[in-house]
Amino acid sequence: MSDDGILILAGATASGKTELAIELARTFDAEIVGADSRQIYRAMPIGTAAPTQRQLAEVPHHLIGFLAPEERYS
């Protein structure tokens, strides 16, 4: 039996998904992969409720703030 799995959290902006994801990542020794269409861009933390630097440091995050706002991604 494998322990591998994917848990998907979905909900409204600023509804507490990040804190829950961090708690779950700690519990299951997991990493977080962001799928927000705006959080991929740097320098947009308020409008997207992006994770704080403290939150990003707590567990590995992927696909958060890796593009400049003028860059396109598909």
Coordinates of all heavy atoms in Angstrom, one line a residue:
M1 N 0.8 -1.2 0.0 CA 0.0 0.0 0.0 C 0.9 1.2 0.0 O 1.8 1.4 0.8 CB -0.9 0.0 1.2 CG -1.9 1.1 1.3 SD -3.0 0.7 2.6 CE -3.9 2.2 2.7
S2 N 0.6 2.2 -0.9 CA 1.4 3.4 -1.0 C 0.8 4.5 -0.1 O -0.4 4.6 0.1 CB 1.3 3.8 -2.5 OG 1.9 5.1 -2.6
D3 N 1.7 5.3 0.4 CA 1.3 6.5 1.2 C 1.2 7.7 0.3 O 0.8 8.8 0.8 CB 2.3 6.8 2.3 CG 2.3 5.8 3.4 OD1 1.3 5.1 3.6 OD2 3.3 5.6 4.0
D4 N 1.5 7.6 -1.0 CA 1.4 8.7 -1.9 C 0.0 9.1 -2.1 O -0.9 8.2 -2.3 CB 2.1 8.4 -3.2 CG 3.6 8.2 -3.1 OD1 4.1 8.7 -2.1 OD2 4.2 7.6 -4.0
G5 N -0.3 10.4 -2.2 CA -1.6 10.8 -2.5 C -1.6 12.3 -2.8 O -0.6 13.0 -2.5
I6 N -2.7 12.8 -3.3 CA -2.8 14.2 -3.5 C -4.1 14.7 -2.8 O -5.2 14.1 -2.9 CB -3.0 14.5 -5.1 CG1 -1.7 14.1 -5.8 CG2 -3.3 16.0 -5.3 CD1 -1.9 14.2 -7.3
L7 N -3.9 15.8 -2.1 CA -5.0 16.4 -1.4 C -5.2 17.8 -2.0 O -4.3 18.5 -2.2 CB -4.7 16.6 0.1 CG -5.8 17.3 0.9 CD1 -7.1 16.5 0.9 CD2 -5.3 17.5 2.3
I8 N -6.4 18.1 -2.4 CA -6.7 19.4 -3.1 C -7.6 20.2 -2.2 O -8.6 19.7 -1.7 CB -7.4 19.2 -4.4 CG1 -6.5 18.4 -5.4 CG2 -7.8 20.5 -5.0 CD1 -7.1 18.0 -6.7
L9 N -7.1 21.4 -1.9 CA -7.9 22.4 -1.1 C -8.4 23.4 -2.0 O -7.7 24.0 -2.8 CB -7.1 23.0 0.0 CG -6.5 22.1 1.1 CD1 -5.6 23.0 2.0 CD2 -7.6 21.4 1.8
A10 N -9.7 23.7 -2.0 CA -10.3 24.7 -2.8 C -11.2 25.6 -2.0 O -11.8 25.1 -1.0 CB -11.1 24.1 -4.0
G11 N -11.3 26.8 -2.4 CA -12.2 27.7 -1.6 C -11.9 29.2 -2.0 O -11.1 29.5 -2.8
A12 N -12.7 30.0 -1.4 CA -12.6 31.5 -1.7 C -11.2 32.1 -1.2 O -10.6 31.5 -0.3 CB -13.7 32.2 -1.0
T13 N -10.8 33.1 -1.9 CA -9.6 33.9 -1.5 C -9.8 34.3 0.0 O -10.9 34.7 0.4 CB -9.5 35.1 -2.4 OG1 -9.3 34.7 -3.7 CG2 -8.3 36.0 -1.9
A14 N -8.7 34.2 0.7 CA -8.6 34.6 2.1 C -9.5 33.8 3.0 O -10.0 34.3 4.0 CB -8.8 36.1 2.3
S15 N -9.8 32.5 2.7 CA -10.7 31.7 3.5 C -9.9 30.7 4.5 O -10.5 29.9 5.2 CB -11.6 30.8 2.6 OG -10.8 30.0 1.8
G16 N -8.6 30.8 4.5 CA -7.8 30.0 5.4 C -7.1 28.8 4.8 O -6.6 27.9 5.5
K17 N -7.2 28.7 3.5 CA -6.6 27.5 2.8 C -5.1 27.4 3.1 O -4.6 26.3 3.3 CB -6.8 27.6 1.3 CG -8.3 27.5 0.9 CD -8.4 27.5 -0.6 CE -7.9 28.7 -1.3 NZ -8.5 30.0 -1.0
T18 N -4.4 28.5 3.1 CA -2.9 28.4 3.2 C -2.5 27.9 4.6 O -1.7 27.0 4.7 CB -2.3 29.8 3.0 OG1 -2.5 30.3 1.7 CG2 -0.8 29.8 3.3
E19 N -3.1 28.4 5.7 CA -2.8 27.9 7.0 C -3.2 26.4 7.1 O -2.4 25.6 7.7 CB -3.6 28.7 8.1 CG -2.9 30.0 8.3 CD -1.5 29.9 8.9 OE1 -1.1 29.0 9.5 OE2 -0.7 30.9 8.6
L20 N -4.3 26.0 6.6 CA -4.7 24.6 6.6 C -3.7 23.7 5.8 O -3.3 22.7 6.2 CB -6.1 24.4 6.1 CG -6.6 22.9 6.0 CD1 -6.6 22.3 7.4 CD2 -8.1 22.9 5.5
A21 N -3.3 24.2 4.6 CA -2.4 23.5 3.8 C -1.0 23.3 4.5 O -0.4 22.2 4.5 CB -2.1 24.2 2.5
I22 N -0.6 24.3 5.2 CA 0.7 24.3 6.0 C 0.5 23.2 7.1 O 1.4 22.4 7.3 CB 1.1 25.6 6.5 CG1 1.5 26.5 5.4 CG2 2.2 25.5 7.6 CD1 1.7 28.0 5.7
E23 N -0.6 23.2 7.8 CA -0.8 22.3 8.9 C -0.8 20.8 8.3 O -0.2 19.9 8.9 CB -2.1 22.6 9.6 CG -2.4 21.7 10.7 CD -3.7 22.1 11.4 OE1 -4.1 23.3 11.4 OE2 -4.4 21.2 11.9
L24 N -1.5 20.6 7.2 CA -1.5 19.3 6.6 C -0.2 18.9 6.1 O 0.2 17.7 6.2 CB -2.6 19.3 5.4 CG -4.0 19.4 5.9 CD1 -4.9 19.7 4.7 CD2 -4.4 18.1 6.6
A25 N 0.6 19.8 5.5 CA 1.9 19.5 5.0 C 2.8 19.1 6.1 O 3.6 18.2 5.9 CB 2.5 20.7 4.2
R26 N 2.7 19.7 7.2 CA 3.5 19.3 8.4 C 3.1 17.9 8.9 O 4.0 17.1 9.2 CB 3.3 20.3 9.5 CG 4.1 21.6 9.4 CD 4.2 22.2 10.8 NE 4.5 23.6 10.6 CZ 3.8 24.6 11.1 NH1 2.6 24.4 11.7 NH2 4.1 25.9 10.9
T27 N 1.8 17.7 9.0 CA 1.3 16.4 9.5 C 1.8 15.3 8.6 O 2.1 14.2 9.1 CB -0.2 16.5 9.5 OG1 -0.6 17.5 10.4 CG2 -0.8 15.1 10.0
F28 N 1.7 15.5 7.3 CA 2.0 14.4 6.3 C 3.4 14.5 5.7 O 3.6 13.8 4.7 CB 0.9 14.4 5.2 CG -0.5 14.0 5.8 CD1 -1.4 15.0 5.9 CD2 -0.7 12.7 6.2 CE1 -2.7 14.7 6.4 CE2 -2.0 12.4 6.7 CZ -3.0 13.4 6.9
D29 N 4.2 15.4 6.2 CA 5.6 15.6 5.6 C 5.5 15.8 4.1 O 6.1 15.1 3.3 CB 6.5 14.4 6.0 CG 7.9 14.7 5.6 OD1 8.3 15.9 5.6 OD2 8.7 13.8 5.3
A30 N 4.6 16.7 3.7 CA 4.3 17.0 2.3 C 4.8 18.4 1.9 O 5.3 19.2 2.7 CB 2.8 16.9 2.1
E31 N 4.6 18.7 0.6 CA 4.9 20.0 0.1 C 3.6 20.6 -0.5 O 2.7 19.9 -0.8 CB 6.0 19.9 -1.0 CG 7.3 19.3 -0.4 CD 8.5 19.3 -1.4 OE1 8.3 19.8 -2.5 OE2 9.5 18.8 -0.9
I32 N 3.6 21.9 -0.7 CA 2.5 22.6 -1.2 C 2.7 23.0 -2.7 O 3.8 23.6 -3.0 CB 2.1 23.8 -0.4 CG1 1.8 23.3 1.1 CG2 1.0 24.6 -1.0 CD1 1.6 24.4 2.1
V33 N 1.8 22.7 -3.5 CA 1.9 23.2 -4.9 C 0.7 24.1 -5.1 O -0.5 23.7 -5.1 CB 1.8 22.0 -5.9 CG1 1.8 22.5 -7.4 CG2 2.9 21.0 -5.7
G34 N 1.0 25.4 -5.4 CA -0.1 26.4 -5.6 C -0.6 26.3 -7.0 O 0.1 26.0 -7.9
A35 N -1.9 26.5 -7.1 CA -2.6 26.4 -8.4 C -3.4 27.7 -8.7 O -4.3 27.7 -9.5 CB -3.5 25.2 -8.5
D36 N -3.1 28.7 -8.0 CA -3.8 30.0 -8.1 C -3.3 30.7 -9.4 O -2.1 30.9 -9.5 CB -3.6 30.8 -6.9 CG -4.5 32.1 -6.9 OD1 -4.0 33.1 -7.7 OD2 -5.5 32.2 -6.3
S37 N -4.1 31.2 -10.2 CA -3.7 31.8 -11.5 C -3.0 33.2 -11.3 O -2.4 33.7 -12.2 CB -4.9 32.0 -12.4 OG -5.8 32.9 -11.8
R38 N -3.1 33.7 -10.1 CA -2.5 35.0 -9.8 C -1.3 34.9 -8.9 O -0.4 35.7 -8.9 CB -3.5 36.0 -9.2 CG -4.7 36.3 -10.1 CD -4.3 37.0 -11.4 NE -5.5 37.3 -12.2 CZ -5.7 36.7 -13.4 NH1 -5.0 35.8 -13.8 NH2 -6.8 37.1 -14.0
Q39 N -1.3 33.9 -8.0 CA -0.2 33.8 -7.1 C 1.1 33.3 -7.8 O 2.2 33.4 -7.1 CB -0.6 32.8 -6.0 CG -1.6 33.4 -5.0 CD -1.8 32.4 -3.8 OE1 -1.2 31.4 -3.7 NE2 -2.8 32.8 -3.0
I40 N 1.0 33.0 -9.0 CA 2.3 32.6 -9.7 C 3.1 33.9 -10.0 O 4.3 33.8 -10.2 CB 2.0 31.9 -11.1 CG1 1.2 32.8 -12.0 CG2 1.3 30.6 -10.9 CD1 1.0 32.3 -13.4
Y41 N 2.5 35.0 -9.9 CA 3.2 36.3 -10.1 C 3.8 36.9 -8.8 O 3.2 36.9 -7.8 CB 2.3 37.3 -10.8 CG 1.8 36.8 -12.1 CD1 0.5 36.4 -12.3 CD2 2.7 36.8 -13.2 CE1 0.1 36.0 -13.6 CE2 2.3 36.4 -14.5 CZ 1.0 36.0 -14.6 OH 0.6 35.5 -15.8
R42 N 5.0 37.4 -9.0 CA 5.7 38.1 -7.9 C 5.0 39.5 -7.6 O 4.4 40.0 -8.5 CB 7.1 38.4 -8.2 CG 8.0 37.2 -8.2 CD 9.5 37.5 -8.3 NE 9.8 38.1 -9.6 CZ 10.1 37.4 -10.7 NH1 10.2 36.1 -10.7 NH2 10.4 38.0 -11.8
A43 N 5.1 40.0 -6.4 CA 4.7 41.4 -6.1 C 3.2 41.6 -6.2 O 2.8 42.7 -6.4 CB 5.5 42.4 -7.0
M44 N 2.4 40.6 -5.9 CA 1.0 40.7 -5.9 C 0.4 40.1 -4.7 O -0.7 39.4 -4.8 CB 0.4 40.1 -7.2 CG 0.9 40.8 -8.5 SD 0.2 40.0 -10.0 CE -1.5 40.4 -9.9
P45 N 1.0 40.2 -3.5 CA 0.5 39.5 -2.3 C -0.8 39.9 -1.8 O -1.6 39.0 -1.3 CB 1.6 39.7 -1.3 CG 2.2 41.1 -1.7 CD 2.1 41.1 -3.2
I46 N -1.2 41.1 -1.9 CA -2.4 41.6 -1.2 C -3.6 41.1 -2.1 O -4.6 40.5 -1.6 CB -2.5 43.1 -1.0 CG1 -1.4 43.4 0.0 CG2 -3.8 43.6 -0.6 CD1 -1.1 44.9 0.2
G47 N -3.6 41.4 -3.4 CA -4.8 41.1 -4.2 C -5.0 39.6 -4.4 O -6.1 39.2 -4.8
T48 N -4.0 38.8 -4.1 CA -4.1 37.3 -4.3 C -4.1 36.6 -3.0 O -4.3 35.3 -3.0 CB -3.0 36.8 -5.1 OG1 -1.7 37.0 -4.4 CG2 -2.9 37.5 -6.5
A49 N -4.0 37.2 -1.8 CA -3.8 36.6 -0.5 C -2.7 35.5 -0.6 O -2.8 34.4 -0.1 CB -5.1 36.0 -0.1
A50 N -1.6 35.9 -1.2 CA -0.5 35.0 -1.3 C 0.1 34.7 0.0 O 0.0 35.5 1.0 CB 0.6 35.7 -2.2
P51 N 0.8 33.5 0.2 CA 1.4 33.2 1.4 C 2.5 34.2 1.8 O 3.1 34.8 1.0 CB 2.1 31.8 1.2 CG 1.4 31.3 0.0 CD 0.9 32.5 -0.8
T52 N 2.6 34.5 3.1 CA 3.6 35.4 3.6 C 5.0 34.7 3.5 O 5.1 33.5 3.3 CB 3.3 35.7 5.1 OG1 3.5 34.6 5.9 CG2 2.0 36.4 5.3
Q53 N 6.0 35.5 3.7 CA 7.4 34.9 3.7 C 7.5 33.9 4.8 O 8.2 32.9 4.7 CB 8.4 36.0 3.9 CG 8.6 36.9 2.6 CD 9.0 36.1 1.4 OE1 9.9 35.3 1.5 NE2 8.3 36.3 0.3
R54 N 6.9 34.2 6.0 CA 7.0 33.2 7.1 C 6.3 31.9 6.7 O 6.8 30.8 6.9 CB 6.3 33.8 8.3 CG 6.2 32.8 9.5 CD 5.3 33.2 10.6 NE 3.9 33.4 10.2 CZ 3.0 32.4 10.0 NH1 3.4 31.1 10.2 NH2 1.8 32.6 9.7
Q55 N 5.1 32.0 6.1 CA 4.4 30.8 5.6 C 5.2 30.0 4.6 O 5.3 28.8 4.6 CB 3.1 31.1 5.1 CG 2.1 31.6 6.2 CD 0.8 32.2 5.6 OE1 0.8 32.9 4.6 NE2 -0.3 31.9 6.3
L56 N 5.8 30.8 3.6 CA 6.6 30.1 2.6 C 7.8 29.4 3.2 O 8.3 28.4 2.6 CB 7.1 31.1 1.6 CG 6.0 31.7 0.7 CD1 6.5 32.9 -0.1 CD2 5.4 30.7 -0.2
A57 N 8.4 29.9 4.3 CA 9.5 29.3 4.9 C 9.2 28.0 5.8 O 10.0 27.2 6.0 CB 10.2 30.3 5.8
E58 N 7.9 27.9 6.1 CA 7.5 26.8 7.0 C 7.6 25.4 6.3 O 8.0 24.4 6.9 CB 6.1 27.0 7.6 CG 6.1 28.2 8.6 CD 4.8 28.3 9.3 OE1 4.2 27.3 9.7 OE2 4.3 29.5 9.3
V59 N 7.1 25.3 5.1 CA 7.1 24.1 4.3 C 7.4 24.5 2.9 O 7.1 25.6 2.4 CB 5.8 23.3 4.4 CG1 5.5 22.8 5.8 CG2 4.6 24.1 3.9
P60 N 8.0 23.5 2.1 CA 8.2 23.9 0.7 C 7.0 24.2 -0.1 O 6.0 23.5 0.0 CB 8.9 22.6 0.2 CG 9.4 21.9 1.4 CD 8.5 22.2 2.5
H61 N 7.0 25.3 -0.8 CA 5.9 25.7 -1.7 C 6.4 25.7 -3.1 O 7.6 26.0 -3.4 CB 5.5 27.1 -1.4 CG 4.6 27.3 -0.1 ND1 5.1 27.1 1.1 CD2 3.3 27.6 0.0 CE1 4.1 27.3 2.0 NE2 3.0 27.6 1.3
H62 N 5.6 25.4 -4.1 CA 5.9 25.4 -5.5 C 4.9 26.3 -6.3 O 3.7 26.3 -5.9 CB 6.0 24.0 -6.1 CG 6.9 23.1 -5.3 ND1 8.2 23.0 -5.5 CD2 6.7 22.2 -4.3 CE1 8.8 22.2 -4.7 NE2 7.9 21.7 -3.9
L63 N 5.3 26.9 -7.3 CA 4.5 27.7 -8.2 C 3.9 28.9 -7.5 O 2.8 29.4 -7.9 CB 3.4 26.9 -8.9 CG 3.9 25.7 -9.7 CD1 2.7 24.9 -10.3 CD2 4.8 26.1 -10.8
I64 N 4.6 29.5 -6.6 CA 4.2 30.7 -5.9 C 5.2 31.8 -6.2 O 6.4 31.7 -6.0 CB 4.1 30.6 -4.4 CG1 3.1 29.5 -4.0 CG2 3.7 31.9 -3.7 CD1 1.7 29.7 -4.3
G65 N 4.8 32.9 -6.9 CA 5.7 34.1 -7.1 C 6.9 33.8 -8.0 O 7.9 34.4 -7.7
F66 N 6.7 33.0 -9.0 CA 7.9 32.7 -9.8 C 8.0 33.4 -11.1 O 9.0 33.3 -11.8 CB 8.0 31.2 -10.1 CG 7.0 30.6 -11.0 CD1 7.3 30.4 -12.3 CD2 5.7 30.3 -10.5 CE1 6.3 29.9 -13.2 CE2 4.8 29.7 -11.4 CZ 5.1 29.5 -12.7
L67 N 7.0 34.3 -11.4 CA 7.0 35.1 -12.6 C 6.8 36.5 -12.3 O 6.1 36.9 -11.4 CB 5.8 34.7 -13.5 CG 5.8 33.3 -14.3 CD1 4.5 33.1 -15.0 CD2 7.0 33.3 -15.2
A68 N 7.4 37.4 -13.2 CA 7.2 38.8 -13.1 C 5.8 39.1 -13.6 O 5.3 38.4 -14.5 CB 8.2 39.6 -13.9
P69 N 5.1 40.1 -13.2 CA 3.7 40.4 -13.6 C 3.6 40.6 -15.1 O 2.5 40.3 -15.7 CB 3.4 41.7 -12.9 CG 4.2 41.6 -11.6 CD 5.5 41.0 -12.0
E70 N 4.7 41.0 -15.8 CA 4.5 41.2 -17.2 C 4.8 40.0 -18.0 O 4.6 39.9 -19.2 CB 5.5 42.3 -17.7 CG 7.0 42.0 -17.5 CD 7.5 42.4 -16.2 OE1 6.8 42.8 -15.3 OE2 8.7 42.2 -16.0
E71 N 5.2 38.9 -17.4 CA 5.4 37.6 -18.1 C 4.1 36.9 -18.3 O 3.2 36.9 -17.4 CB 6.4 36.7 -17.3 CG 7.8 37.3 -17.3 CD 8.7 36.4 -16.6 OE1 8.9 36.6 -15.3 OE2 9.3 35.5 -17.2
R72 N 4.0 36.1 -19.4 CA 2.8 35.3 -19.6 C 3.1 33.8 -19.3 O 4.3 33.4 -19.4 CB 2.4 35.4 -21.1 CG 2.0 36.8 -21.4 CD 1.4 36.9 -22.7 NE 0.1 36.3 -22.7 CZ -0.8 36.2 -23.6 NH1 -0.6 36.8 -24.7 NH2 -2.0 35.7 -23.5
Y73 N 2.1 33.1 -18.9 CA 2.3 31.7 -18.5 C 1.0 31.0 -18.9 O -0.1 31.4 -18.7 CB 2.5 31.6 -17.0 CG 2.8 30.2 -16.5 CD1 4.0 29.7 -16.7 CD2 1.8 29.5 -15.8 CE1 4.3 28.4 -16.2 CE2 2.1 28.2 -15.3 CZ 3.3 27.7 -15.5 OH 3.6 26.4 -15.1
S74 N 1.2 29.8 -19.4 CA 0.0 29.0 -19.8 C 0.3 27.5 -19.5 O 1.4 27.1 -19.6 CB -0.2 29.1 -21.3 OG -1.3 28.3 -21.7

